[in-house]
Amino acid sequence: MTPHDEAVVERAIRVAGNDIGRATYSALWHSFNDPRYDLTGRATEIAAPTLIVWGRRDPVLPLRYGRKAHALIPGSELRVLPTGHLPFSTAPEQFLDVVRPFIESAYATPGASPSTK
């Protein structure tokens, strides 16, 4: 873990330090196993430009889940970074090197603007 990762974990712990935070955190984790929140069947309906950034060494959600999401979302782009669960935090420059061009290309689409994306 990098110092950035440690800061993210510390913030998550702080947020979970009160009743509302604990309830939110608990509901979030429980939703992962609740079939009512499984949107896999609707992934093919996503029409917006979609970038999936995944950490190759993610111990929480292995890369196979990123590959599955990529396979299900038409036209999506999958970029894999040499990180764990927090690519944006572990490797912020690499993350931005992937995200910036994607955002720029999404807004370069005719008729696209921040208000329509």
Short mmCIF file of all heavy atoms in Angstrom, two decimals, residues 35-103:
data_model
loop_
_atom_site.label_atom_id
_atom_site.label_comp_id
_atom_site.label_asym_id
_atom_site.label_seq_id
_atom_site.Cartn_x
_atom_site.Cartn_y
_atom_site.Cartn_z
N PRO A 35 -29.32 -10.33 -4.93
CA PRO A 35 -29.67 -10.41 -6.36
C PRO A 35 -30.49 -9.22 -6.86
O PRO A 35 -30.46 -8.92 -8.05
CB PRO A 35 -30.48 -11.70 -6.48
CG PRO A 35 -30.45 -12.37 -5.16
CD PRO A 35 -29.81 -11.45 -4.17
N ARG A 36 -31.18 -8.52 -5.97
CA ARG A 36 -31.96 -7.35 -6.41
C ARG A 36 -31.06 -6.23 -6.93
O ARG A 36 -31.53 -5.36 -7.67
CB ARG A 36 -32.80 -6.80 -5.25
CG ARG A 36 -33.89 -7.76 -4.80
CD ARG A 36 -34.62 -7.22 -3.60
NE ARG A 36 -33.66 -7.08 -2.50
CZ ARG A 36 -33.89 -6.41 -1.38
NH1 ARG A 36 -35.05 -5.81 -1.20
NH2 ARG A 36 -32.99 -6.34 -0.43
N TYR A 37 -29.79 -6.25 -6.56
CA TYR A 37 -28.87 -5.19 -7.00
C TYR A 37 -27.91 -5.67 -8.09
O TYR A 37 -27.00 -4.96 -8.47
CB TYR A 37 -28.07 -4.66 -5.80
CG TYR A 37 -28.97 -4.03 -4.77
CD1 TYR A 37 -29.28 -4.70 -3.60
CD2 TYR A 37 -29.52 -2.78 -4.98
CE1 TYR A 37 -30.12 -4.14 -2.66
CE2 TYR A 37 -30.35 -2.20 -4.05
CZ TYR A 37 -30.65 -2.89 -2.89
OH TYR A 37 -31.48 -2.31 -1.97
N ASP A 38 -28.12 -6.85 -8.60
CA ASP A 38 -27.26 -7.38 -9.66
C ASP A 38 -27.73 -6.81 -11.00
O ASP A 38 -28.79 -7.17 -11.50
CB ASP A 38 -27.32 -8.91 -9.67
CG ASP A 38 -26.39 -9.52 -10.71
OD1 ASP A 38 -25.76 -8.77 -11.48
OD2 ASP A 38 -26.31 -10.76 -10.74
N LEU A 39 -26.94 -5.94 -11.56
CA LEU A 39 -27.30 -5.30 -12.82
C LEU A 39 -26.63 -5.95 -14.03
O LEU A 39 -26.65 -5.39 -15.12
CB LEU A 39 -26.94 -3.81 -12.76
CG LEU A 39 -27.63 -3.03 -11.63
CD1 LEU A 39 -27.13 -1.58 -11.62
CD2 LEU A 39 -29.14 -3.08 -11.77
N THR A 40 -26.07 -7.11 -13.83
CA THR A 40 -25.37 -7.81 -14.90
C THR A 40 -26.25 -7.94 -16.15
O THR A 40 -25.79 -7.72 -17.27
CB THR A 40 -24.91 -9.21 -14.43
OG1 THR A 40 -24.11 -9.06 -13.27
CG2 THR A 40 -24.12 -9.92 -15.50
N GLY A 41 -27.50 -8.28 -15.96
CA GLY A 41 -28.41 -8.47 -17.09
C GLY A 41 -28.70 -7.19 -17.86
O GLY A 41 -29.14 -7.25 -19.00
N ARG A 42 -28.44 -6.04 -17.25
CA ARG A 42 -28.71 -4.76 -17.92
C ARG A 42 -27.44 -4.12 -18.47
O ARG A 42 -27.50 -3.06 -19.11
CB ARG A 42 -29.40 -3.81 -16.95
CG ARG A 42 -30.77 -4.35 -16.52
CD ARG A 42 -31.52 -3.39 -15.67
NE ARG A 42 -31.72 -2.15 -16.41
CZ ARG A 42 -32.00 -0.99 -15.82
NH1 ARG A 42 -32.11 -0.92 -14.52
NH2 ARG A 42 -32.17 0.10 -16.54
N ALA A 43 -26.28 -4.73 -18.24
CA ALA A 43 -25.01 -4.14 -18.68
C ALA A 43 -24.98 -3.91 -20.19
O ALA A 43 -24.38 -2.94 -20.66
CB ALA A 43 -23.85 -5.02 -18.25
N THR A 44 -25.62 -4.76 -20.94
CA THR A 44 -25.62 -4.61 -22.40
C THR A 44 -26.39 -3.36 -22.85
O THR A 44 -26.26 -2.95 -24.00
CB THR A 44 -26.23 -5.85 -23.08
OG1 THR A 44 -27.57 -6.02 -22.60
CG2 THR A 44 -25.40 -7.09 -22.81
N GLU A 45 -27.17 -2.76 -21.95
CA GLU A 45 -27.93 -1.56 -22.28
C GLU A 45 -27.11 -0.28 -22.14
O GLU A 45 -27.58 0.80 -22.54
CB GLU A 45 -29.15 -1.46 -21.37
CG GLU A 45 -30.13 -2.63 -21.51
CD GLU A 45 -31.20 -2.59 -20.45
OE1 GLU A 45 -31.49 -1.52 -19.88
OE2 GLU A 45 -31.77 -3.66 -20.17
N ILE A 46 -25.92 -0.37 -21.58
CA ILE A 46 -25.10 0.83 -21.37
C ILE A 46 -24.64 1.33 -22.73
O ILE A 46 -23.98 0.61 -23.49
CB ILE A 46 -23.90 0.54 -20.45
CG1 ILE A 46 -24.42 0.15 -19.06
CG2 ILE A 46 -22.96 1.74 -20.39
CD1 ILE A 46 -23.34 -0.32 -18.10
N ALA A 47 -24.99 2.56 -23.05
CA ALA A 47 -24.64 3.14 -24.34
C ALA A 47 -23.59 4.24 -24.21
O ALA A 47 -23.02 4.68 -25.21
CB ALA A 47 -25.89 3.71 -25.01
N ALA A 48 -23.33 4.70 -23.00
CA ALA A 48 -22.35 5.76 -22.78
C ALA A 48 -20.94 5.22 -22.93
O ALA A 48 -20.69 4.04 -22.68
CB ALA A 48 -22.52 6.34 -21.37
N PRO A 49 -20.01 6.06 -23.35
CA PRO A 49 -18.62 5.63 -23.37
C PRO A 49 -18.24 5.13 -21.97
O PRO A 49 -18.55 5.78 -20.97
CB PRO A 49 -17.84 6.90 -23.73
CG PRO A 49 -18.84 7.78 -24.40
CD PRO A 49 -20.16 7.46 -23.76
N THR A 50 -17.61 3.98 -21.92
CA THR A 50 -17.33 3.36 -20.63
C THR A 50 -15.88 2.92 -20.56
O THR A 50 -15.41 2.15 -21.39
CB THR A 50 -18.24 2.13 -20.42
OG1 THR A 50 -19.62 2.55 -20.53
CG2 THR A 50 -18.02 1.50 -19.06
N LEU A 51 -15.19 3.42 -19.54
CA LEU A 51 -13.83 3.02 -19.26
C LEU A 51 -13.81 2.25 -17.96
O LEU A 51 -14.33 2.72 -16.95
CB LEU A 51 -12.92 4.25 -19.13
CG LEU A 51 -11.48 3.99 -18.68
CD1 LEU A 51 -10.74 3.16 -19.73
CD2 LEU A 51 -10.77 5.31 -18.42
N ILE A 52 -13.23 1.07 -17.99
CA ILE A 52 -13.09 0.24 -16.79
C ILE A 52 -11.60 0.18 -16.49
O ILE A 52 -10.82 -0.28 -17.31
CB ILE A 52 -13.64 -1.18 -17.04
CG1 ILE A 52 -15.11 -1.11 -17.46
CG2 ILE A 52 -13.43 -2.07 -15.81
CD1 ILE A 52 -15.63 -2.38 -18.11
N VAL A 53 -11.23 0.69 -15.32
CA VAL A 53 -9.82 0.65 -14.90
C VAL A 53 -9.73 -0.32 -13.74
O VAL A 53 -10.44 -0.18 -12.75
CB VAL A 53 -9.32 2.04 -14.48
CG1 VAL A 53 -7.84 1.98 -14.09
CG2 VAL A 53 -9.53 3.06 -15.59
N TRP A 54 -8.86 -1.31 -13.88
CA TRP A 54 -8.78 -2.39 -12.88
C TRP A 54 -7.34 -2.59 -12.45
O TRP A 54 -6.41 -2.43 -13.24
CB TRP A 54 -9.30 -3.69 -13.50
CG TRP A 54 -10.05 -4.52 -12.53
CD1 TRP A 54 -9.55 -5.46 -11.67
CD2 TRP A 54 -11.45 -4.50 -12.30
NE1 TRP A 54 -10.55 -6.03 -10.94
CE2 TRP A 54 -11.74 -5.44 -11.30
CE3 TRP A 54 -12.50 -3.76 -12.85
CZ2 TRP A 54 -13.02 -5.67 -10.84
CZ3 TRP A 54 -13.76 -4.00 -12.39
CH2 TRP A 54 -14.02 -4.94 -11.40
N GLY A 55 -7.17 -2.99 -11.20
CA GLY A 55 -5.85 -3.35 -10.70
C GLY A 55 -5.58 -4.83 -10.93
O GLY A 55 -6.39 -5.67 -10.53
N ARG A 56 -4.47 -5.12 -11.58
CA ARG A 56 -4.12 -6.51 -11.89
C ARG A 56 -4.04 -7.38 -10.64
O ARG A 56 -4.35 -8.56 -10.66
CB ARG A 56 -2.79 -6.56 -12.64
CG ARG A 56 -2.37 -7.97 -13.05
CD ARG A 56 -1.10 -8.01 -13.88
NE ARG A 56 -1.12 -7.13 -15.03
CZ ARG A 56 -1.80 -7.35 -16.17
NH1 ARG A 56 -2.52 -8.44 -16.29
NH2 ARG A 56 -1.77 -6.50 -17.16
N ARG A 57 -3.62 -6.79 -9.51
CA ARG A 57 -3.43 -7.56 -8.28
C ARG A 57 -4.52 -7.25 -7.25
O ARG A 57 -4.26 -7.30 -6.05
CB ARG A 57 -2.05 -7.27 -7.70
CG ARG A 57 -0.92 -7.67 -8.63
CD ARG A 57 0.47 -7.44 -8.02
NE ARG A 57 0.67 -6.11 -7.48
CZ ARG A 57 1.22 -5.09 -8.13
NH1 ARG A 57 1.62 -5.25 -9.36
NH2 ARG A 57 1.38 -3.92 -7.55
N ASP A 58 -5.72 -6.94 -7.71
CA ASP A 58 -6.81 -6.61 -6.80
C ASP A 58 -7.21 -7.84 -5.98
O ASP A 58 -7.70 -8.82 -6.53
CB ASP A 58 -8.02 -6.10 -7.59
CG ASP A 58 -9.12 -5.54 -6.72
OD1 ASP A 58 -9.25 -5.97 -5.56
OD2 ASP A 58 -9.86 -4.67 -7.21
N PRO A 59 -7.01 -7.81 -4.65
CA PRO A 59 -7.36 -8.96 -3.83
C PRO A 59 -8.84 -9.00 -3.45
O PRO A 59 -9.34 -10.01 -2.99
CB PRO A 59 -6.50 -8.78 -2.58
CG PRO A 59 -6.37 -7.30 -2.45
CD PRO A 59 -6.35 -6.77 -3.86
N VAL A 60 -9.55 -7.88 -3.66
CA VAL A 60 -10.96 -7.79 -3.29
C VAL A 60 -11.84 -8.24 -4.45
O VAL A 60 -12.74 -9.06 -4.28
CB VAL A 60 -11.33 -6.35 -2.86
CG1 VAL A 60 -12.80 -6.25 -2.49
CG2 VAL A 60 -10.45 -5.91 -1.69
N LEU A 61 -11.59 -7.68 -5.62
CA LEU A 61 -12.33 -8.01 -6.84
C LEU A 61 -11.32 -8.38 -7.91
O LEU A 61 -10.76 -7.52 -8.59
CB LEU A 61 -13.19 -6.83 -7.30
CG LEU A 61 -14.33 -6.45 -6.37
CD1 LEU A 61 -14.92 -5.11 -6.77
CD2 LEU A 61 -15.39 -7.52 -6.36
N PRO A 62 -11.04 -9.66 -8.09
CA PRO A 62 -10.04 -10.10 -9.06
C PRO A 62 -10.34 -9.61 -10.47
O PRO A 62 -11.49 -9.30 -10.82
CB PRO A 62 -10.10 -11.63 -8.98
CG PRO A 62 -10.68 -11.91 -7.63
CD PRO A 62 -11.62 -10.78 -7.35
N LEU A 63 -9.31 -9.57 -11.28
CA LEU A 63 -9.40 -9.06 -12.65
C LEU A 63 -10.48 -9.75 -13.46
O LEU A 63 -11.06 -9.14 -14.37
CB LEU A 63 -8.03 -9.20 -13.33
CG LEU A 63 -7.90 -8.71 -14.76
CD1 LEU A 63 -8.35 -7.26 -14.91
CD2 LEU A 63 -6.46 -8.89 -15.23
N ARG A 64 -10.83 -10.98 -13.15
CA ARG A 64 -11.87 -11.67 -13.93
C ARG A 64 -13.19 -10.89 -13.91
O ARG A 64 -13.96 -10.93 -14.86
CB ARG A 64 -12.05 -13.10 -13.46
CG ARG A 64 -12.68 -13.28 -12.11
CD ARG A 64 -12.86 -14.76 -11.75
NE ARG A 64 -13.41 -14.94 -10.44
CZ ARG A 64 -12.72 -15.03 -9.32
NH1 ARG A 64 -11.40 -14.96 -9.35
NH2 ARG A 64 -13.31 -15.18 -8.16
N TYR A 65 -13.45 -10.15 -12.82
CA TYR A 65 -14.68 -9.35 -12.75
C TYR A 65 -14.60 -8.15 -13.69
O TYR A 65 -15.59 -7.77 -14.32
CB TYR A 65 -14.95 -8.89 -11.32
CG TYR A 65 -15.31 -10.03 -10.41
CD1 TYR A 65 -14.38 -10.53 -9.50
CD2 TYR A 65 -16.56 -10.61 -10.45
CE1 TYR A 65 -14.69 -11.58 -8.66
CE2 TYR A 65 -16.89 -11.67 -9.62
CZ TYR A 65 -15.96 -12.15 -8.73
OH TYR A 65 -16.26 -13.19 -7.90
N GLY A 66 -13.43 -7.55 -13.79
CA GLY A 66 -13.25 -6.46 -14.74
C GLY A 66 -13.39 -6.94 -16.16
O GLY A 66 -14.01 -6.27 -17.00
N ARG A 67 -12.84 -8.12 -16.44
CA ARG A 67 -12.97 -8.68 -17.79
C ARG A 67 -14.43 -9.00 -18.11
O ARG A 67 -14.88 -8.82 -19.25
CB ARG A 67 -12.10 -9.93 -17.91
CG ARG A 67 -10.62 -9.60 -17.98
CD ARG A 67 -9.80 -10.83 -18.28
NE ARG A 67 -8.40 -10.48 -18.42
CZ ARG A 67 -7.41 -11.01 -17.69
NH1 ARG A 67 -7.67 -11.95 -16.80
NH2 ARG A 67 -6.17 -10.61 -17.88
N LYS A 68 -15.16 -9.50 -17.11
CA LYS A 68 -16.57 -9.82 -17.34
C LYS A 68 -17.36 -8.54 -17.63
O LYS A 68 -18.18 -8.50 -18.55
CB LYS A 68 -17.16 -10.54 -16.13
CG LYS A 68 -18.61 -10.92 -16.33
CD LYS A 68 -19.15 -11.75 -15.19
CE LYS A 68 -20.60 -12.14 -15.46
NZ LYS A 68 -21.15 -12.98 -14.41
N ALA A 69 -17.11 -7.49 -16.84
CA ALA A 69 -17.80 -6.21 -17.07
C ALA A 69 -17.49 -5.70 -18.47
O ALA A 69 -18.38 -5.26 -19.20
CB ALA A 69 -17.38 -5.19 -16.02
N HIS A 70 -16.24 -5.78 -18.87
CA HIS A 70 -15.82 -5.33 -20.19
C HIS A 70 -16.54 -6.12 -21.29
O HIS A 70 -17.00 -5.56 -22.29
CB HIS A 70 -14.31 -5.47 -20.31
CG HIS A 70 -13.75 -5.21 -21.66
ND1 HIS A 70 -13.99 -4.04 -22.37
CD2 HIS A 70 -12.96 -5.96 -22.46
CE1 HIS A 70 -13.37 -4.10 -23.52
NE2 HIS A 70 -12.73 -5.26 -23.60
N ALA A 71 -16.65 -7.42 -21.10
CA ALA A 71 -17.32 -8.27 -22.09
C ALA A 71 -18.80 -7.95 -22.19
O ALA A 71 -19.40 -8.06 -23.26
CB ALA A 71 -17.12 -9.75 -21.74
N LEU A 72 -19.41 -7.54 -21.09
CA LEU A 72 -20.84 -7.28 -21.08
C LEU A 72 -21.23 -5.89 -21.58
O LEU A 72 -22.33 -5.70 -22.09
CB LEU A 72 -21.39 -7.44 -19.66
CG LEU A 72 -21.43 -8.86 -19.11
CD1 LEU A 72 -21.77 -8.85 -17.62
CD2 LEU A 72 -22.43 -9.71 -19.88
N ILE A 73 -20.34 -4.90 -21.42
CA ILE A 73 -20.68 -3.52 -21.78
C ILE A 73 -20.18 -3.24 -23.20
O ILE A 73 -18.98 -3.20 -23.45
CB ILE A 73 -20.06 -2.52 -20.78
CG1 ILE A 73 -20.58 -2.81 -19.37
CG2 ILE A 73 -20.37 -1.08 -21.20
CD1 ILE A 73 -19.87 -2.04 -18.27
N PRO A 74 -21.10 -3.05 -24.13
CA PRO A 74 -20.71 -2.84 -25.53
C PRO A 74 -19.79 -1.63 -25.69
O PRO A 74 -20.04 -0.56 -25.14
CB PRO A 74 -22.05 -2.58 -26.24
CG PRO A 74 -23.10 -3.08 -25.32
CD PRO A 74 -22.54 -2.96 -23.93
N GLY A 75 -18.71 -1.83 -26.42
CA GLY A 75 -17.80 -0.73 -26.72
C GLY A 75 -16.96 -0.26 -25.54
O GLY A 75 -16.27 0.75 -25.67
N SER A 76 -17.03 -0.95 -24.44
CA SER A 76 -16.25 -0.51 -23.28
C SER A 76 -14.77 -0.72 -23.53
O SER A 76 -14.36 -1.49 -24.39
CB SER A 76 -16.68 -1.26 -22.02
OG SER A 76 -16.37 -2.64 -22.12
N GLU A 77 -13.97 -0.02 -22.76
CA GLU A 77 -12.52 -0.14 -22.82
C GLU A 77 -12.04 -0.60 -21.45
O GLU A 77 -12.45 -0.05 -20.42
CB GLU A 77 -11.91 1.22 -23.16
CG GLU A 77 -10.42 1.20 -23.28
CD GLU A 77 -9.85 2.56 -23.65
OE1 GLU A 77 -10.61 3.42 -24.14
OE2 GLU A 77 -8.64 2.76 -23.43
N LEU A 78 -11.23 -1.63 -21.42
CA LEU A 78 -10.65 -2.14 -20.17
C LEU A 78 -9.18 -1.81 -20.14
O LEU A 78 -8.44 -2.15 -21.06
CB LEU A 78 -10.85 -3.65 -20.04
CG LEU A 78 -10.16 -4.33 -18.86
CD1 LEU A 78 -10.73 -3.83 -17.53
CD2 LEU A 78 -10.29 -5.84 -18.96
N ARG A 79 -8.75 -1.12 -19.10
CA ARG A 79 -7.34 -0.83 -18.89
C ARG A 79 -6.93 -1.42 -17.56
O ARG A 79 -7.61 -1.21 -16.55
CB ARG A 79 -7.09 0.68 -18.91
CG ARG A 79 -7.46 1.34 -20.23
CD ARG A 79 -6.60 0.88 -21.41
NE ARG A 79 -5.19 1.17 -21.26
CZ ARG A 79 -4.60 2.28 -21.65
NH1 ARG A 79 -5.29 3.21 -22.27
NH2 ARG A 79 -3.31 2.45 -21.46
N VAL A 80 -5.86 -2.17 -17.55
CA VAL A 80 -5.39 -2.85 -16.36
C VAL A 80 -4.07 -2.23 -15.91
O VAL A 80 -3.14 -2.11 -16.71
CB VAL A 80 -5.21 -4.36 -16.62
CG1 VAL A 80 -4.73 -5.07 -15.37
CG2 VAL A 80 -6.52 -4.97 -17.13
N LEU A 81 -4.04 -1.81 -14.65
CA LEU A 81 -2.84 -1.22 -14.10
C LEU A 81 -2.18 -2.19 -13.12
O LEU A 81 -2.85 -3.05 -12.55
CB LEU A 81 -3.19 0.09 -13.38
CG LEU A 81 -3.77 1.20 -14.25
CD1 LEU A 81 -4.05 2.45 -13.42
CD2 LEU A 81 -2.85 1.53 -15.40
N PRO A 82 -0.88 -2.06 -12.91
CA PRO A 82 -0.16 -2.99 -12.02
C PRO A 82 -0.35 -2.61 -10.55
O PRO A 82 0.61 -2.29 -9.84
CB PRO A 82 1.30 -2.82 -12.47
CG PRO A 82 1.38 -1.40 -12.92
CD PRO A 82 0.03 -1.11 -13.54
N THR A 83 -1.59 -2.64 -10.11
CA THR A 83 -1.93 -2.22 -8.75
C THR A 83 -2.83 -3.25 -8.09
O THR A 83 -3.18 -4.26 -8.70
CB THR A 83 -2.68 -0.87 -8.76
OG1 THR A 83 -3.96 -1.06 -9.37
CG2 THR A 83 -1.91 0.20 -9.52
N GLY A 84 -3.27 -2.91 -6.89
CA GLY A 84 -4.25 -3.71 -6.19
C GLY A 84 -5.63 -3.11 -6.40
O GLY A 84 -5.99 -2.69 -7.52
N HIS A 85 -6.39 -2.98 -5.32
CA HIS A 85 -7.79 -2.58 -5.38
C HIS A 85 -8.00 -1.08 -5.67
O HIS A 85 -9.08 -0.68 -6.07
CB HIS A 85 -8.48 -2.95 -4.06
CG HIS A 85 -9.96 -2.79 -4.06
ND1 HIS A 85 -10.79 -3.51 -4.90
CD2 HIS A 85 -10.76 -1.98 -3.34
CE1 HIS A 85 -12.04 -3.16 -4.68
NE2 HIS A 85 -12.06 -2.23 -3.74
N LEU A 86 -6.98 -0.27 -5.46
CA LEU A 86 -7.14 1.18 -5.58
C LEU A 86 -6.23 1.78 -6.64
O LEU A 86 -5.32 2.56 -6.34
CB LEU A 86 -6.85 1.85 -4.23
CG LEU A 86 -7.67 1.35 -3.03
CD1 LEU A 86 -7.11 1.93 -1.74
CD2 LEU A 86 -9.13 1.71 -3.20
N PRO A 87 -6.44 1.47 -7.92
CA PRO A 87 -5.53 1.98 -8.94
C PRO A 87 -5.43 3.50 -8.96
O PRO A 87 -4.36 4.05 -9.18
CB PRO A 87 -6.08 1.45 -10.26
CG PRO A 87 -7.34 0.74 -9.96
CD PRO A 87 -7.50 0.64 -8.48
N PHE A 88 -6.52 4.20 -8.70
CA PHE A 88 -6.51 5.66 -8.71
C PHE A 88 -5.62 6.23 -7.61
O PHE A 88 -5.07 7.31 -7.73
CB PHE A 88 -7.93 6.23 -8.55
CG PHE A 88 -8.54 5.94 -7.20
CD1 PHE A 88 -8.41 6.84 -6.16
CD2 PHE A 88 -9.23 4.76 -6.97
CE1 PHE A 88 -8.95 6.58 -4.91
CE2 PHE A 88 -9.78 4.48 -5.74
CZ PHE A 88 -9.63 5.39 -4.69
N SER A 89 -5.46 5.47 -6.54
CA SER A 89 -4.70 5.92 -5.39
C SER A 89 -3.27 5.37 -5.41
O SER A 89 -2.32 6.09 -5.12
CB SER A 89 -5.43 5.47 -4.12
OG SER A 89 -4.67 5.74 -2.98
N THR A 90 -3.12 4.11 -5.76
CA THR A 90 -1.81 3.48 -5.77
C THR A 90 -0.92 4.07 -6.86
O THR A 90 0.27 4.31 -6.64
CB THR A 90 -1.94 1.96 -6.01
OG1 THR A 90 -2.81 1.42 -5.02
CG2 THR A 90 -0.61 1.26 -5.93
N ALA A 91 -1.49 4.31 -8.02
CA ALA A 91 -0.73 4.82 -9.17
C ALA A 91 -1.48 5.98 -9.80
O ALA A 91 -1.99 5.87 -10.93
CB ALA A 91 -0.50 3.69 -10.17
N PRO A 92 -1.57 7.11 -9.09
CA PRO A 92 -2.42 8.21 -9.59
C PRO A 92 -2.00 8.75 -10.95
O PRO A 92 -2.86 9.08 -11.77
CB PRO A 92 -2.31 9.28 -8.50
CG PRO A 92 -1.15 8.90 -7.65
CD PRO A 92 -0.95 7.43 -7.81
N GLU A 93 -0.70 8.84 -11.21
CA GLU A 93 -0.27 9.36 -12.51
C GLU A 93 -0.63 8.39 -13.64
O GLU A 93 -1.11 8.82 -14.69
CB GLU A 93 1.23 9.66 -12.50
CG GLU A 93 1.58 10.86 -11.64
CD GLU A 93 0.84 12.13 -12.05
OE1 GLU A 93 0.74 12.42 -13.25
OE2 GLU A 93 0.36 12.84 -11.13
N GLN A 94 -0.39 7.10 -13.43
CA GLN A 94 -0.77 6.11 -14.44
C GLN A 94 -2.27 6.13 -14.65
O GLN A 94 -2.75 6.01 -15.79
CB GLN A 94 -0.33 4.71 -14.02
CG GLN A 94 1.14 4.44 -14.22
CD GLN A 94 1.46 3.01 -13.80
OE1 GLN A 94 1.36 2.66 -12.63
NE2 GLN A 94 1.81 2.19 -14.77
N PHE A 95 -3.02 6.24 -13.56
CA PHE A 95 -4.48 6.28 -13.64
C PHE A 95 -4.91 7.48 -14.50
O PHE A 95 -5.72 7.33 -15.42
CB PHE A 95 -5.08 6.36 -12.24
CG PHE A 95 -6.57 6.41 -12.21
CD1 PHE A 95 -7.31 5.24 -12.35
CD2 PHE A 95 -7.24 7.60 -12.03
CE1 PHE A 95 -8.70 5.27 -12.33
CE2 PHE A 95 -8.62 7.65 -12.00
CZ PHE A 95 -9.35 6.48 -12.15
N LEU A 96 -4.35 8.64 -14.21
CA LEU A 96 -4.72 9.83 -14.98
C LEU A 96 -4.26 9.73 -16.43
O LEU A 96 -4.93 10.25 -17.33
CB LEU A 96 -4.16 11.09 -14.32
CG LEU A 96 -4.83 11.45 -13.00
CD1 LEU A 96 -4.11 12.62 -12.34
CD2 LEU A 96 -6.32 11.76 -13.20
N ASP A 97 -3.13 9.05 -16.67
CA ASP A 97 -2.67 8.85 -18.05
C ASP A 97 -3.67 8.03 -18.86
O ASP A 97 -3.72 8.14 -20.09
CB ASP A 97 -1.30 8.16 -18.07
CG ASP A 97 -0.17 9.08 -17.64
OD1 ASP A 97 -0.36 10.31 -17.58
OD2 ASP A 97 0.93 8.54 -17.35
N VAL A 98 -4.45 7.21 -18.20
CA VAL A 98 -5.48 6.40 -18.85
C VAL A 98 -6.80 7.17 -18.93
O VAL A 98 -7.46 7.18 -19.97
CB VAL A 98 -5.69 5.08 -18.07
CG1 VAL A 98 -6.93 4.35 -18.54
CG2 VAL A 98 -4.46 4.19 -18.18
N VAL A 99 -7.15 7.84 -17.86
CA VAL A 99 -8.46 8.49 -17.77
C VAL A 99 -8.54 9.77 -18.61
O VAL A 99 -9.55 10.00 -19.28
CB VAL A 99 -8.83 8.76 -16.30
CG1 VAL A 99 -10.07 9.61 -16.17
CG2 VAL A 99 -9.00 7.44 -15.56
N ARG A 100 -7.51 10.59 -18.56
CA ARG A 100 -7.56 11.87 -19.30
C ARG A 100 -7.86 11.68 -20.79
O ARG A 100 -8.78 12.33 -21.31
CB ARG A 100 -6.27 12.64 -19.10
CG ARG A 100 -6.19 13.35 -17.78
CD ARG A 100 -4.93 14.22 -17.73
NE ARG A 100 -4.79 14.80 -16.42
CZ ARG A 100 -3.72 14.68 -15.66
NH1 ARG A 100 -2.66 13.98 -16.10
NH2 ARG A 100 -3.66 15.25 -14.48
N PRO A 101 -7.10 10.83 -21.50
CA PRO A 101 -7.41 10.67 -22.93
C PRO A 101 -8.82 10.11 -23.17
O PRO A 101 -9.46 10.46 -24.15
CB PRO A 101 -6.34 9.69 -23.43
CG PRO A 101 -5.28 9.68 -22.40
CD PRO A 101 -5.92 10.08 -21.11
N PHE A 102 -9.27 9.24 -22.27
CA PHE A 102 -10.61 8.70 -22.42
C PHE A 102 -11.66 9.81 -22.32
O PHE A 102 -12.57 9.90 -23.15
CB PHE A 102 -10.89 7.62 -21.37
CG PHE A 102 -12.29 7.10 -21.42
CD1 PHE A 102 -12.65 6.14 -22.35
CD2 PHE A 102 -13.26 7.59 -20.56
CE1 PHE A 102 -13.96 5.68 -22.42
CE2 PHE A 102 -14.56 7.13 -20.61
CZ PHE A 102 -14.91 6.17 -21.55
N ILE A 103 -11.51 10.66 -21.33
CA ILE A 103 -12.45 11.78 -21.15
C ILE A 103 -12.39 12.72 -22.35
O ILE A 103 -13.42 13.14 -22.87
CB ILE A 103 -12.19 12.51 -19.83
CG1 ILE A 103 -12.54 11.61 -18.65
CG2 ILE A 103 -12.97 13.83 -19.77
CD1 ILE A 103 -12.12 12.14 -17.30
#
